[in-house]
Amino acid sequence: DVVMTQSPLSLPVTLGQPASISCRSSQSLVSSDGNTYLNWFQQRPGQSPRRLIYKVSSRDSGVPDRFSGSGSGTDFTLKISRVEAEDVGVYYCMQGTHWPLTFGGGTKVEIK
Amino acid sequence: QVPLVESGGSVVQPGGSLGLSCAASSFTFITNDMHWVRQAPGKGLEWVAFIRYDGNNKYYTDSVKGRFTISRDNSKNTLHLQMNSLRPDDTAVYYCAKGSTTTIDSWGQGTLVTVSS
């Protein structure tokens, strides 16, 4: 199985400051069709997860443009340009290139 | 998010069985692939099972193979997960989710399964 490793585990951030979450995969996520199926999800406290980003950098409808995804191969990053209070929660990466689908362990974003 | 409403979560003894259901609405269920994903208390997300839109392809995570069965009734817009030989480490919130073979784009609110004597 592809192992997804996120860092850091916990990310205290000052409101209005940027935040960055790393996600690394144990194998390349480049698919045979040429796409890279790396997704990012946000799970606010007490809520279900919500997809933010798919195929590395495509933002879902309704997701603020302060969220951006980047990366290639085995190394990916989710960036929040200016953290707001509503961004508190746990963020997960998930690869969809190889079966079984696998998630990273999560990064908890909290306000300092 | 599209409405996905899970039901069936309960407390069950180790070795017991339980069936979960997920009612889908506001989208064309018959053309969409579906997943089950679980989250143990205080833990991260774990993908459990997948079924293609037509029910012809099914995939499972290794830890549930032979014990869990995913199925769907496209005439009733309903997804199912039959869970047998349940173990304490199956205790989790189970989410029904819509997506494809490469992603998950919508999640239900989840239903709690507790395996305990």
Side-chain angles (χ1 to χ4, degrees):
Chain A
D1 297 1
V2 176
V3 176
M4 305 297 288
T5 303
Q6 286 183 234
S7 62
L9 255 60
S10 177
L11 184 56
V13 187
T14 301
L15 286 172
Q17 293 300 302
S20 181
I21 299 170
S22 170
C23 176
R24 288 182 173 165
S25 57
S26 60
Q27 300 177 32
S28 172
L29 299 186
V30 179
S31 176
S32 56
D33 65 8
N35 289 307
T36 300
Y37 296 108
L38 188 282
N39 306 270
W40 288 99
F41 298 90
Q42 174 195 60
Q43 187 174 33
R44 291 171 170 152
Q47 294 188 13
S48 302
R50 164 201 183 195
R51 192 179 69 177
L52 299 176
I53 302 281
Y54 60 97
K55 284 199 286 187
V56 180
S57 59
S58 295
R59 200 182 308 116
D60 270 277
S61 173
V63 174
D65 61 7
R66 64 178 180 274
F67 289 93
S68 63
S70 63
S72 62
T74 62
D75 208 340
F76 304 92
T77 302
L78 176 70
K79 291 182 179 175
I80 310 173
S81 58
R82 295 172 305 279
V83 171
E84 298 189 5
E86 65 178 17
D87 300 335
V88 164
V90 182
Y91 292 78
Y92 297 92
C93 59
M94 184 199 86
Q95 67 83 20
T97 299
H98 306 281
W99 288 102
L101 306 184
T102 47
F103 289 89
T107 295
K108 187 175 185 178
V109 171
E110 54 190 12
I111 305 300
K112 276 184 187 175
Chain B
Q1 301 275 48
V2 295
L4 292 165
V5 180
E6 301 93 337
S7 61
S10 180
V11 179
V12 59
Q13 291 191 341
S17 298
L18 195 64
L20 304 182
S21 296
C22 171
S25 60
S26 301
F27 69 97
T28 309
F29 183 73
I30 197 171
T31 61
N32 280 272
D33 301 336
M34 299 294 294
H35 301 262
W36 286 100
V37 178
R38 66 185 178 184
Q39 186 170 34
K43 302 297 184 182
L45 301 169
E46 180 187 24
W47 173 80
V48 173
F50 165 89
I51 186 167
R52 286 301 295 265
Y53 65 94
D54 58 4
N56 283 341
N57 294 86
K58 303 175 185 180
Y59 303 108
Y60 301 92
T61 192
D62 282 350
S63 63
V64 309
K65 279 180 187 173
R67 300 189 300 123
F68 288 14
T69 302
I70 188 171
S71 64
R72 62 192 296 159
D73 185 341
N74 285 343
S75 68
K76 296 182 179 178
N77 288 356
T78 304
L79 178 71
H80 301 282
L81 185 68
Q82 178 62 38
M83 303 184 293
N84 299 328
S85 303
L86 282 161
R87 311 187 301 219
D89 62 356
D90 294 318
T91 294
V93 172
Y94 284 73
Y95 294 102
C96 161
K98 180 177 83 69
S100 69
T101 55
T102 62
T103 191
I104 291 171
D105 58 46
S106 297
W107 301 68
Q109 87 288 349
T111 187
L112 177 61
V113 173
T114 302
V115 184
S116 174
S117 53

Coordinates of all heavy atoms in Angstrom, one line a residue, chain A residues 40-79:
Chain A
W40 N -6.8 16.8 -1.2 CA -6.7 17.4 0.2 C -8.2 17.6 0.8 O -9.1 18.1 0.1 CB -6.1 18.8 0.2 CG -4.6 18.7 -0.1 CD1 -3.9 18.9 -1.2 CD2 -3.6 18.5 0.9 NE1 -2.6 18.8 -1.0 CE2 -2.3 18.5 0.3 CE3 -3.6 18.2 2.3 CZ2 -1.1 18.3 0.9 CZ3 -2.4 18.0 2.9 CH2 -1.2 18.1 2.3
F41 N -8.3 17.2 2.0 CA -9.6 17.3 2.7 C -9.4 18.2 4.0 O -8.4 18.1 4.7 CB -10.2 16.0 3.1 CG -10.4 15.1 1.9 CD1 -9.4 14.2 1.4 CD2 -11.6 15.1 1.3 CE1 -9.7 13.4 0.3 CE2 -11.9 14.3 0.1 CZ -10.9 13.5 -0.3
Q42 N -10.5 18.9 4.4 CA -10.5 19.6 5.6 C -11.6 19.0 6.5 O -12.7 18.7 6.0 CB -10.9 21.1 5.3 CG -11.1 21.9 6.6 CD -11.8 23.2 6.2 OE1 -13.0 23.2 5.7 NE2 -11.2 24.3 6.5
Q43 N -11.3 18.7 7.7 CA -12.3 18.3 8.7 C -12.4 19.2 9.9 O -11.5 19.2 10.7 CB -12.1 16.8 9.1 CG -13.2 16.3 10.0 CD -13.0 14.8 10.3 OE1 -11.9 14.3 10.5 NE2 -14.2 14.1 10.4
R44 N -13.4 20.1 9.9 CA -13.6 21.0 11.0 C -14.1 20.2 12.2 O -14.7 19.1 12.1 CB -14.6 22.1 10.6 CG -14.1 23.0 9.6 CD -15.2 24.0 9.1 NE -14.7 25.0 8.3 CZ -15.4 25.7 7.4 NH1 -16.6 25.2 7.1 NH2 -14.9 26.6 6.7
P45 N -13.9 20.7 13.4 CA -14.3 20.0 14.6 C -15.8 19.6 14.6 O -16.6 20.5 14.3 CB -14.0 21.0 15.7 CG -12.9 21.8 15.2 CD -13.1 22.0 13.7
G46 N -16.0 18.3 14.8 CA -17.4 17.9 14.9 C -18.1 17.7 13.5 O -19.3 17.4 13.5
Q47 N -17.4 17.9 12.4 CA -18.0 17.8 11.1 C -17.4 16.7 10.3 O -16.4 16.1 10.6 CB -17.8 19.1 10.4 CG -18.5 20.3 11.0 CD -18.4 21.6 10.1 OE1 -18.0 21.5 8.9 NE2 -18.8 22.7 10.7
S48 N -18.1 16.4 9.2 CA -17.6 15.4 8.2 C -16.5 16.1 7.4 O -16.4 17.3 7.3 CB -18.7 15.0 7.2 OG -19.8 14.5 7.9
P49 N -15.6 15.3 6.8 CA -14.6 15.9 5.9 C -15.2 16.6 4.7 O -16.4 16.3 4.3 CB -13.8 14.7 5.5 CG -14.0 13.6 6.5 CD -15.4 13.8 6.9
R50 N -14.4 17.5 4.1 CA -14.8 18.2 3.0 C -13.7 18.3 2.0 O -12.5 18.6 2.5 CB -15.3 19.6 3.4 CG -15.3 20.7 2.3 CD -15.2 22.1 2.9 NE -15.4 23.2 2.0 CZ -15.1 24.4 2.2 NH1 -14.6 24.7 3.4 NH2 -15.2 25.3 1.3
R51 N -13.9 18.0 0.8 CA -12.7 18.1 -0.2 C -12.5 19.5 -0.5 O -13.4 20.3 -0.8 CB -13.0 17.3 -1.5 CG -11.8 17.1 -2.3 CD -12.1 16.3 -3.6 NE -12.9 17.1 -4.5 CZ -13.3 16.6 -5.7 NH1 -12.9 15.4 -6.1 NH2 -14.0 17.4 -6.5
L52 N -11.2 19.9 -0.5 CA -10.7 21.2 -0.9 C -10.1 21.2 -2.2 O -10.3 22.1 -3.0 CB -9.7 21.7 0.2 CG -10.1 21.8 1.6 CD1 -8.9 22.2 2.4 CD2 -11.2 22.9 1.8
I53 N -9.2 20.2 -2.5 CA -8.3 20.2 -3.6 C -8.3 18.8 -4.2 O -8.3 17.8 -3.4 CB -6.9 20.5 -3.2 CG1 -6.8 21.9 -2.6 CG2 -5.9 20.4 -4.4 CD1 -6.8 23.1 -3.5
Y54 N -8.3 18.7 -5.5 CA -8.2 17.4 -6.2 C -7.2 17.5 -7.3 O -6.9 18.7 -7.8 CB -9.5 16.8 -6.7 CG -10.2 17.8 -7.7 CD1 -10.1 17.5 -9.1 CD2 -11.0 18.8 -7.3 CE1 -10.7 18.4 -10.0 CE2 -11.6 19.7 -8.2 CZ -11.5 19.4 -9.5 OH -12.1 20.3 -10.4
K55 N -6.6 16.4 -7.8 CA -5.6 16.4 -8.8 C -4.5 17.5 -8.5 O -4.2 18.4 -9.3 CB -6.1 16.6 -10.2 CG -6.8 15.3 -10.7 CD -7.0 15.3 -12.2 CE -8.1 16.1 -12.6 NZ -8.4 16.0 -14.1
V56 N -4.0 17.5 -7.3 CA -2.9 18.3 -6.8 C -3.2 19.7 -6.5 O -3.0 20.2 -5.5 CB -1.7 18.2 -7.7 CG1 -0.5 19.1 -7.2 CG2 -1.2 16.8 -8.0
S57 N -3.9 20.4 -7.5 CA -4.0 21.8 -7.4 C -5.4 22.4 -7.8 O -5.6 23.6 -7.8 CB -2.9 22.5 -8.3 OG -3.1 22.1 -9.6
S58 N -6.3 21.5 -8.2 CA -7.6 22.0 -8.6 C -8.5 22.2 -7.4 O -8.8 21.3 -6.6 CB -8.3 21.0 -9.5 OG -7.6 20.9 -10.8
R59 N -9.0 23.4 -7.2 CA -9.7 23.8 -6.0 C -11.2 23.5 -6.3 O -11.8 23.8 -7.3 CB -9.5 25.3 -5.8 CG -9.9 25.7 -4.3 CD -9.7 27.3 -4.2 NE -8.4 27.7 -4.6 CZ -8.1 28.5 -5.6 NH1 -9.2 29.0 -6.3 NH2 -6.9 28.9 -5.9
D60 N -11.9 23.0 -5.3 CA -13.3 22.7 -5.4 C -14.1 24.0 -5.4 O -13.7 25.0 -4.8 CB -13.8 21.8 -4.2 CG -13.7 20.3 -4.6 OD1 -14.6 19.8 -5.2 OD2 -12.7 19.7 -4.2
S61 N -15.3 23.9 -5.9 CA -16.2 25.1 -6.0 C -16.5 25.5 -4.5 O -16.8 24.7 -3.7 CB -17.5 24.7 -6.7 OG -18.5 25.7 -6.6
G62 N -16.5 26.8 -4.3 CA -16.8 27.3 -2.9 C -15.6 27.3 -2.0 O -15.7 27.9 -0.9
V63 N -14.5 26.8 -2.4 CA -13.3 26.8 -1.5 C -12.6 28.1 -1.7 O -12.3 28.5 -2.9 CB -12.3 25.6 -1.9 CG1 -11.0 25.7 -1.1 CG2 -13.0 24.3 -1.6
P64 N -12.3 28.8 -0.6 CA -11.6 30.2 -0.8 C -10.3 30.1 -1.5 O -9.6 29.1 -1.3 CB -11.5 30.6 0.7 CG -12.5 29.8 1.5 CD -12.6 28.5 0.8
D65 N -10.0 31.1 -2.2 CA -8.7 31.0 -3.0 C -7.5 31.2 -2.1 O -6.3 31.2 -2.7 CB -8.7 32.0 -4.1 CG -8.9 33.5 -3.7 OD1 -8.8 33.7 -2.4 OD2 -9.1 34.4 -4.5
R66 N -7.6 31.4 -0.8 CA -6.5 31.4 0.1 C -5.9 30.0 0.2 O -4.8 29.8 0.7 CB -6.8 32.0 1.4 CG -7.8 31.2 2.3 CD -8.0 31.9 3.6 NE -8.9 31.2 4.5 CZ -10.2 31.4 4.4 NH1 -10.7 32.2 3.5 NH2 -11.1 30.7 5.2
F67 N -6.7 28.9 -0.2 CA -6.2 27.6 -0.2 C -5.6 27.2 -1.6 O -6.2 27.5 -2.6 CB -7.3 26.6 0.1 CG -7.8 26.6 1.5 CD1 -8.9 27.4 1.8 CD2 -7.2 25.8 2.5 CE1 -9.4 27.4 3.1 CE2 -7.7 25.9 3.8 CZ -8.8 26.7 4.1
S68 N -4.4 26.7 -1.6 CA -3.8 26.2 -2.8 C -3.0 25.0 -2.6 O -2.4 24.7 -1.5 CB -2.9 27.3 -3.4 OG -1.8 27.6 -2.5
G69 N -3.0 24.1 -3.7 CA -2.2 22.9 -3.6 C -1.1 22.9 -4.7 O -1.3 23.4 -5.8
S70 N 0.0 22.2 -4.4 CA 1.1 22.1 -5.3 C 1.8 20.9 -5.1 O 1.6 20.1 -4.1 CB 2.0 23.4 -5.2 OG 2.6 23.4 -3.9
G71 N 2.8 20.6 -6.0 CA 3.6 19.4 -5.9 C 3.6 18.5 -7.1 O 2.9 18.8 -8.0
S72 N 4.4 17.5 -7.0 CA 4.5 16.5 -8.1 C 5.2 15.3 -7.6 O 5.9 15.3 -6.5 CB 5.3 17.1 -9.2 OG 6.6 17.4 -8.9
G73 N 4.9 14.2 -8.3 CA 5.6 12.9 -8.0 C 5.3 12.3 -6.6 O 4.2 11.7 -6.5
T74 N 6.1 12.6 -5.6 CA 5.9 12.1 -4.3 C 5.8 13.2 -3.2 O 5.6 12.9 -2.0 CB 7.0 11.1 -3.9 OG1 8.2 11.9 -3.9 CG2 7.1 9.9 -4.8
D75 N 5.9 14.4 -3.6 CA 6.0 15.5 -2.7 C 5.0 16.6 -2.9 O 5.0 17.2 -4.0 CB 7.4 16.1 -2.8 CG 7.9 16.7 -1.5 OD1 7.1 17.0 -0.6 OD2 9.1 16.9 -1.4
F76 N 4.1 16.8 -2.0 CA 2.9 17.7 -2.2 C 2.8 18.7 -1.0 O 3.2 18.4 0.1 CB 1.7 16.9 -2.4 CG 1.8 15.9 -3.5 CD1 2.2 14.6 -3.3 CD2 1.5 16.3 -4.8 CE1 2.4 13.7 -4.3 CE2 1.7 15.4 -5.9 CZ 2.1 14.1 -5.6
T77 N 2.1 19.8 -1.3 CA 2.0 20.8 -0.2 C 0.6 21.5 -0.4 O 0.1 21.8 -1.5 CB 3.0 21.9 -0.4 OG1 4.3 21.4 -0.3 CG2 2.9 23.0 0.7
L78 N 0.0 21.7 0.8 CA -1.3 22.5 0.9 C -0.9 23.8 1.6 O -0.3 23.8 2.7 CB -2.3 21.8 1.7 CG -3.6 22.6 1.9 CD1 -4.4 22.8 0.6 CD2 -4.5 22.0 3.0
K79 N -1.2 24.9 1.0 CA -0.9 26.2 1.6 C -2.1 27.0 1.8 O -3.1 27.0 1.0 CB 0.1 27.0 0.7 CG 1.5 26.4 0.6 CD 2.4 27.2 -0.2 CE 3.8 26.6 -0.3 NZ 4.7 27.3 -1.2

